[in-house]
Amino acid sequence: MKNFFFYILFFTMAVPALAAKPTPLDPAMQIKARAIADQLRCPVCRGIPIAESPAELAQNMMQEIRNQLRQGKSEEEILNYFEDRYGEWILLKPKPKGMNLTLWLLPAALLAAGVVFLFFAVRRWSA
Amino acid sequence: MKRVILFFLIAGPIVALLAFGLTRNPRELPSAMIGKKAPDFALKNLEGKEVTLESLKGQNLLINFWATWCGPCYQEHAVLKAIQKQHAQENLRLLGVVYQDSVENVKEYLRQEGKPFEVLLDPDNKMGIDYGVGGVPETFFVDAEGFIREKHSGVLTMEYVEFMLNTLK
């Protein structure tokens, strides 16, 4: 009889608790959530992704990523969601377009210029 | 002479770029939300009644994200109270979205300082993230058609709010 009451108590307490908690993501989804969070800048930190931040806002954003993955959203859709709201600044890796191309092309251009400079410098020294 | 000219040709643009960068405030980022339709929300107010963006359609909105632990929000509270008093008869609704704070703190704070806005509780920061909020205080001006016309980060001043409300008319 005592056990019977125990089980009744257990289930009446456990069922609402389970219902309130969202189902955890499976390991593959967890990895996906982490990969997305690694690409997003924590708005209240200095240059670290939300995946590495203990800040409450970063944790809320992490939860939003998990919720959107549960809804079946793709990585691109989730990144676009954050970009639409916080601007391109939120992406730790700027998209290679427009003025951003400078970031991607300038190092290569400087390297090429250096090689050309060295080539002519060495030729002049050896002449 | 040639070398000096070459030096200035290379160093000049780099120094100019750095100097330009130093004149900019890295904390000032134009909101990506300006000009966009305000994201919908469904949040409870302090009385437990659900408030949605849809239910406020047709009114100009001043949506202020705030918290009791935020010092600048305390300064801003007086401005919001004055705005509410002066524009009570107009088609303007002031909403105060609670950011990372407890209901108890909010109730006690409002009891002491007065309540210039309808308080909305956002326990999971869903609305905050939907509006791209990075800290408090942040204020959004939404027109009667539901478009975000401006976002302000930091303490509001009377002059600024009056100017913005005129642009919403």
Side-chain angles (χ1 to χ4, degrees), chain A residues 43-44 46 56-57 60-61 64 68 81-87 89 124, chain B residues 27 29 32-33 36 39 99-100 124-126 128-134:
Chain A
V44 289
R46 285 187 185 268
E56 195 171 340
L57 176 58
N60 293 150
M61 289 167 82
E64 183 61 30
Q68 294 201 16
Y81 165 85
F82 284 103
E83 191 187 343
D84 280 350
R85 280 146 182 86
Y86 288 91
W89 166 88
R124 197 195 288 173
Chain B
R27 290 181 173 275
L29 284 167
M33 300 297 288
K36 289 182 184 165
Y99 185 84
Q100 297 175 356
D124 301 323
N125 198 14
K126 172 73 183 136
I129 293 174
D130 263 348
Y131 278 69
V133 173

Side-chain angles (χ1 to χ4, degrees), chain A residues 10-126:
Chain A
F10 176 79
F11 282 110
T12 49
M13 287 176 83
V15 169
L18 286 172
K21 232 179 178 179
T23 47
L25 288 179
D26 62 63
M29 288 281 234
Q30 287 280 18
I31 292 169
K32 209 170 176 184
R34 168 85 200 201
I36 295 168
D38 270 334
Q39 298 174 61
L40 293 168
R41 187 191 304 275
C42 165
V44 289
C45 318
R46 285 187 185 268
I48 60 166
I50 60 170
E52 289 172 23
S53 170
E56 195 171 340
L57 176 58
Q59 298 301 314
N60 293 150
M61 289 167 82
M62 195 73 209
Q63 192 54 46
E64 183 61 30
I65 295 172
R66 292 192 195 105
N67 289 343
Q68 294 201 16
L69 281 173
R70 274 192 204 99
Q71 290 162 19
K73 298 259 176 77
S74 69
E75 179 174 327
E76 197 187 346
E77 282 174 316
I78 297 171
L79 290 175
N80 285 342
Y81 165 85
F82 284 103
E83 191 187 343
D84 280 350
R85 280 146 182 86
Y86 288 91
E88 202 189 338
W89 166 88
I90 201 79
L91 303 175
L92 277 170
K93 192 171 156 189
K95 287 181 175 170
K97 64 173 189 190
M99 271 299 280
N100 290 349
L101 274 176
T102 325
L103 284 172
W104 300 82
L105 299 179
L106 199 63
L110 285 176
L111 191 70
V115 170
V116 171
F117 172 79
L118 269 179
F119 173 76
F120 283 108
V122 169
R123 208 166 71 162
R124 197 195 288 173
W125 290 331
S126 53

Side-chain angles (χ1 to χ4, degrees), chain B:
Chain B
M1 189 62 190
K2 244 183 182 179
R3 277 188 182 176
V4 175
I5 293 171
L6 192 69
F7 172 78
F8 279 108
L9 275 178
I10 294 169
I14 295 171
V15 172
L17 199 68
L18 285 174
F20 173 69
L22 287 173
T23 62
R24 316 260 294 173
N25 182 356
R27 290 181 173 275
E28 258 177 34
L29 284 167
S31 172
M33 300 297 288
I34 296 167
K36 289 182 184 165
K37 197 100 180 138
D40 208 354
F41 57 82
L43 297 178
K44 294 253 167 69
N45 64 14
L46 275 182
E47 292 72 42
K49 192 185 152 212
E50 191 173 81
V51 178
T52 62
L53 181 63
E54 187 62 30
S55 67
L56 302 165
K57 214 173 176 184
Q59 299 177 77
N60 291 321
L61 304 176
L62 184 157
I63 306 176
N64 179 245
F65 287 82
W66 72 290
T68 62
W69 46 260
C70 150
C73 301
Y74 182 77
Q75 290 175 39
E76 200 175 60
H77 211 72
V79 175
L80 290 165
K81 278 197 285 190
I83 291 292
Q84 189 220 24
K85 209 172 171 186
Q86 285 179 22
H87 297 269
Q89 304 304 319
E90 292 172 25
N91 188 30
L92 171 73
R93 195 80 174 261
L94 272 69
L95 303 174
V97 184
V98 177
Y99 185 84
Q100 297 175 356
D101 209 339
S102 73
V103 180
E104 295 74 36
N105 286 348
V106 168
K107 281 184 175 167
E108 181 56 25
Y109 183 93
L110 296 175
R111 197 182 59 76
Q112 287 179 21
E113 302 299 328
K115 189 180 165 198
F117 38 43
E118 174 157 22
V119 175
L120 299 181
L121 305 170
D122 187 21
D124 301 323
N125 198 14
K126 172 73 183 136
M127 182 173 171
I129 293 174
D130 263 348
Y131 278 69
V133 173
V136 281
E138 279 191 17
T139 307
F140 291 80
F141 294 87
V142 179
D143 66 22
E145 277 78 48
F147 283 93
I148 295 174
R149 296 281 285 273
E150 192 56 87
K151 174 200 160 182
H152 181 80
S153 299
V155 180
L156 292 169
T157 61
M158 279 301 281
E159 295 74 26
Y160 177 77
V161 178
E162 292 292 355
F163 169 76
M164 273 316 300
L165 294 181
N166 274 329
T167 66
L168 290 180
K169 279 176 186 165

